[in-house]
Amino acid sequence: MNHDAAVIVSGWRLTLLILGLELGSLALNVALGIAAGQTEYLSAGLFAGTALLCWPVYQGKLWARIEVCILWSTGAIELALGGSPVWGVTSFLLGLTLFWAPQVNAYMDYAAQQ
């Protein structure tokens, strides 16, 4: 499937933004937990899992996008139950954007062919 180069570049930028925002929010969640004196094993695990899956997602691997969406949904539930429902909803929506944004799908098709 051929996509316009501008759409692919836009999808690349959006993919990097999504991954960066999610990694940043997960790192912030871990740091805030540690600063509060709590052991954040689940948050640290979500951060580590997401960090490990960023490269395969960047390469357009469908299995990695599915895994990241599952991880982020888990993080969304943790954040919502932990008193941060806005962050939880944001995490969930970022995961969905990896599947539903046409620009991201154009980039993922392109990246998977490389």
Side-chain angles (χ1 to χ4, degrees), residues 55-95:
W55 182 248
V57 168
Y58 182 78
Q59 291 178 319
K61 308 289 186 202
L62 178 61
W63 63 267
R65 279 198 293 167
I66 292 169
E67 193 67 35
V68 162
C69 193
I70 291 169
L71 279 173
W72 292 357
S73 296
T74 304
I77 292 168
E78 178 200 11
L79 288 169
L81 294 177
S84 301
V86 173
W87 283 103
V89 169
T90 303
S91 178
F92 183 71
L93 291 177
L94 287 173

Side-chain angles (χ1 to χ4, degrees), residues 3 13 16 19 24 33 37-40 43 51 54 58 62 82 87-88 90 95 98 109:
H3 294 285
R13 289 180 180 151
L16 289 179
L19 293 174
Q38 301 171 353
T39 307
E40 292 288 328
S43 296
C54 279
Y58 182 78
L62 178 61
W87 283 103
T90 303
L98 283 177
D109 290 343

